């Protein structure tokens, strides 16, 4: 929840292109994760606490997990499933389930805490990053909103 934060301020602190970040935030607004307010004092804020939003929820806004690498053969085979598995299929199946579970069970607040406590997570060290992450967290990967939010 908290105060409104501008896209410009966040993009500068995270070194993310402002135009891209604005699109990400608009996807999050459409999905009712963020609230936006226009004007000189405008910006974005969470509609509910970051502790109630999972990383997976945000990833799903920007990427369809069912058609992502998490849902395809790790070896790249088109015909790989439970009936025709590749050699790595059982290992990859278990691994991707753990990844999805971890993303689903990790809140955005927890991610901000991890980033604050483990500077190796940061692309560049910035003491302001975690505070900003607590206000508004976006996904840094060039994607468009999924059609159905």
């Amino acid at each position: 929840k908290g105060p409104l934060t501008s896209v410009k301020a966040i993009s500068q602190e995270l070194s993310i292109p402002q135009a891209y970040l604005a699109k990400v935030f608009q996807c999050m607004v459409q999905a009712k994760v963020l609230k936006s307010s226009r004007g000189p004092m405008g910006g974005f804020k969470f509609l509910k606490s970051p502790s109630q939003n999972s990383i997976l929820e945000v990833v799903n806004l920007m990427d369809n997990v069912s058609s992502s690498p998490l849902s395809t053969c790790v070896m790249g085979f088109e015909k790989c499933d439970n009936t025709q598995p590749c050699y790595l299929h059982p290992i990859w199946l278990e691994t991707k389930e753990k990844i999805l579970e971890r993303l689903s069970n990790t809140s955005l607040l927890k991610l901000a805490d991890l980033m604050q406590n483990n500077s190796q997570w940061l692309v560049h060290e910035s003491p302001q990053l975690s505070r900003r992450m607590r206000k508004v967290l976006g996904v840094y990967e060039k994607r468009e909103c999924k059609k159905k939010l």
Side-chain angles (χ1 to χ4, degrees), residues 31-140:
K32 303 200 183 321
V33 173
L34 296 179
K35 176 183 180 182
S36 67
S37 179
R38 293 181 185 220
M41 300 300 289
F44 295 85
K45 70 177 183 177
F46 281 106
L47 285 174
K48 58 184 182 180
S49 169
S51 65
Q52 296 175 324
N53 291 319
S54 74
I55 296 172
L56 186 59
E57 288 175 294
V58 176
V59 169
N60 278 329
L61 294 177
M62 303 307 296
D63 190 14
N64 184 351
V65 174
S66 65
S67 64
S68 77
L70 288 173
S71 296
T72 58
C73 176
V74 71
M75 298 289 292
F77 298 128
E78 285 186 34
K79 299 204 181 225
C80 175
D81 56 28
N82 290 334
T83 59
Q84 293 181 310
C86 72
Y87 295 113
L88 292 178
H89 186 80
I91 296 167
W92 180 237
L93 185 63
E94 182 181 337
T95 302
K96 69 182 179 181
E97 286 173 1
K98 287 179 182 177
I99 291 169
L100 291 171
E101 180 181 344
R102 185 69 181 256
L103 292 174
S104 178
N105 292 331
T106 304
S107 72
L108 299 181
L109 183 61
K110 177 67 174 174
L111 177 60
D113 289 340
L114 289 170
M115 292 176 75
Q116 181 176 16
N117 296 326
N118 298 296
S119 62
Q120 71 267 18
W121 281 51
L122 304 177
V123 174
H124 58 86
E125 291 192 9
S126 169
Q128 303 298 316
L129 181 60
S130 184
R131 286 198 299 268
R132 288 286 183 217
M133 294 293 286
R134 288 178 188 277
K135 293 179 182 177
V136 180
L137 184 74
V139 177
Y140 185 41

Side-chain angles (χ1 to χ4, degrees), residues 9-23:
I10 297 168
S11 72
Q12 288 174 346
E13 292 207 25
L14 298 178
S15 300
I16 298 172
Q18 185 174 338
Y20 170 72
L21 191 60
K23 288 180 182 180

